[in-house]
Amino acid sequence: MTTPTWKWFIEYTHPTQAHMHGVEKFIYSGKTKYQVVEIIDTDFYGRCLVLDGKIQSSEYDEYIYHETLIHPALTLHPEPKSVMIVGGGEGAVLREILRHPSVERILMVDIDQEVVELCKEYLPQWSQGAFDHHKVEVRFMDARKYLEDTAETFDVIYMDLPEPLDDGPAYLLFTQEFYQVVSKRLTDNGVIALQAGSFNPRLLECHAAVCNTLATAFPVVCSYASFIPSYDATWGFAVAAKSLNPLAISAEEVDKRLSDRKITGLKYYDGETHISMFAVPKDVRTAKKEEKRIIADDRPLITY
């Protein structure tokens, strides 16, 4: 075996753990008002978006993340019409939501306009023109302030944000107080879905705290997960709702709803995948019971 000559991008998941990606080309590097942005071409996963040193999505497996985040909640809802996205800079969230024909309005609120513009320029295959769709409205502002001030309600709200590190730009969008605001902005059958940290057994504090915090505002909170290859981890997500329960829907019903809505071209999500995603391992379930932390405006989640 010859000595590798790659330039390496090293992503730290802990001060003593990291994984490496061989870089073919550095496309962009800069700093916005809110975060450090890098766009790189890797040999194994293609083009990648990196924020504050962590890969957010990659060309070859972003479909796994985005189908996992989007379709369980939209398929669970009997007829979603209005959807809000908090974050969602790459535009792939928009792309997946637009597959559901009943959706009439999508509002995307992202605080970092520079990231969105960079994604439009360098990652157009993620959005596939979704930013220009007539159902889509994009606002660049504080999503929490928008939800606090508006009287509009939504059938589904998505949180496509980095993890709630105490010094990160997204922290105040994971708190007990914020989820109470979100609950008021959802319709009676409303659903919220979000990414919620790693299922790595050494890093479960984040997922457990997010789910416990959601439970202060919603009677139904369910964990689910998919393995994201470019993260080198099984990644946790959460669905919370006022009444609808993703555990109560069968694989056959998921497939029927996708068929009735004429949704084709999905590469990852279907009824069988839905059931497997919500089959959460015992160690994660135990961590959620044992972790008592609630993320609050004045009590940040301190994690790496």
Side-chain angles (χ1 to χ4, degrees):
M1 181 176 179
T2 59
T3 302
T5 58
W6 295 100
K7 299 292 184 182
W8 295 98
F9 167 70
I10 303 175
E11 178 176 357
Y12 288 90
T13 56
H14 184 271
T16 60
Q17 177 182 265
H19 51 268
M20 302 168 63
H21 301 269
V23 178
E24 291 185 324
K25 188 176 182 181
F26 292 90
I27 304 300
Y28 176 87
S29 180
K31 187 174 183 179
T32 74
K33 181 180 177 181
Y34 302 99
Q35 53 206 326
V36 176
V37 184
E38 296 166 285
I39 298 172
I40 58 177
D41 282 347
T42 67
D43 175 69
F44 206 80
Y45 292 111
R47 186 155 294 186
C48 300
L49 172 67
V50 182
L51 298 180
D52 289 335
K54 295 183 181 295
I55 288 181
Q56 303 301 303
S57 62
S58 81
E59 180 180 356
Y60 291 140
D61 71 355
E62 60 84 11
Y63 72 93
I64 300 175
Y65 175 92
H66 290 107
E67 289 187 24
T68 297
L69 174 63
I70 297 306
H71 295 295
L74 275 179
T75 305
L76 177 64
H77 196 286
E79 192 178 13
K81 293 184 178 181
S82 58
V83 179
M84 180 179 178
I85 307 161
V86 179
E90 303 107 304
V93 170
L94 289 171
R95 179 196 75 209
E96 293 302 318
I97 294 170
L98 286 167
R99 293 181 186 271
H100 290 257
S102 67
V103 174
E104 298 172 353
R105 166 170 161 75
I106 309 172
L107 173 64
M108 173 177 156
V109 181
D110 196 308
I111 200 169
D112 200 335
Q113 183 172 0
E114 290 179 73
V115 168
V116 174
E117 296 303 327
L118 287 168
C119 290
K120 288 180 179 180
E121 181 176 357
Y122 294 111
L123 310 174
Q125 61 271 48
W126 269 249
S127 58
Q128 297 179 14
F131 284 109
D132 299 321
H133 197 281
H134 70 274
K135 295 181 180 181
V136 172
E137 177 187 355
V138 179
R139 298 191 184 192
F140 299 108
M141 62 178 296
D142 182 337
R144 177 163 174 165
K145 178 173 174 52
Y146 178 86
L147 285 167
E148 287 173 341
D149 292 345
T150 188
E152 186 175 6
T153 57
F154 300 90
D155 295 317
V156 182
I157 295 178
Y158 289 104
M159 311 281 290
D160 185 27
L161 299 165
E163 294 172 84
L165 303 180
D166 60 324
D167 59 349
Y171 157 63
L172 289 174
L173 300 176
F174 284 87
T175 67
Q176 178 180 16
E177 292 84 352
F178 178 66
Y179 291 147
Q180 290 167 350
V181 172
V182 171
S183 179
K184 295 175 182 177
R185 300 277 70 82
L186 285 170
T187 56
D188 290 342
N189 281 332
V191 183
I192 175 177
L194 61 152
Q195 75 86 5
S198 176
F199 268 26
N200 183 315
R202 292 294 305 276
L203 302 172
L204 284 173
E205 177 189 13
C206 177
H207 182 80
V210 169
C211 290
N212 290 341
T213 305
L214 281 166
T216 66
F218 296 95
V220 178
V221 179
C222 295
S223 298
Y224 66 112
S226 289
F227 182 77
I228 312 295
S230 59
Y231 294 5
D232 197 24
T234 299
W235 205 256
F237 297 77
V239 165
K242 297 180 178 181
S243 60
L244 300 174
N245 190 332
L247 301 181
I249 186 171
S250 67
E252 293 75 19
E253 180 61 22
V254 169
D255 288 335
K256 181 179 184 301
R257 292 185 186 188
L258 293 174
S259 177
D260 289 347
R261 298 177 191 186
K262 295 180 172 56
I263 295 173
T264 60
L266 296 181
K267 294 191 287 183
Y268 186 78
Y269 181 77
D270 65 0
E272 184 174 342
T273 303
H274 179 96
I275 299 303
S276 69
M277 288 193 302
F278 283 91
V280 177
K282 183 179 180 180
D283 59 347
V284 178
R285 289 181 273 122
T286 300
K288 289 168 63 177
K289 292 179 181 178
E290 294 179 350
E291 173 62 57
K292 305 302 181 184
R293 186 187 303 269
I294 300 296
I295 308 171
D297 285 357
D298 61 349
R299 296 194 302 277
L301 175 64
I302 300 172
T303 185
Y304 179 71

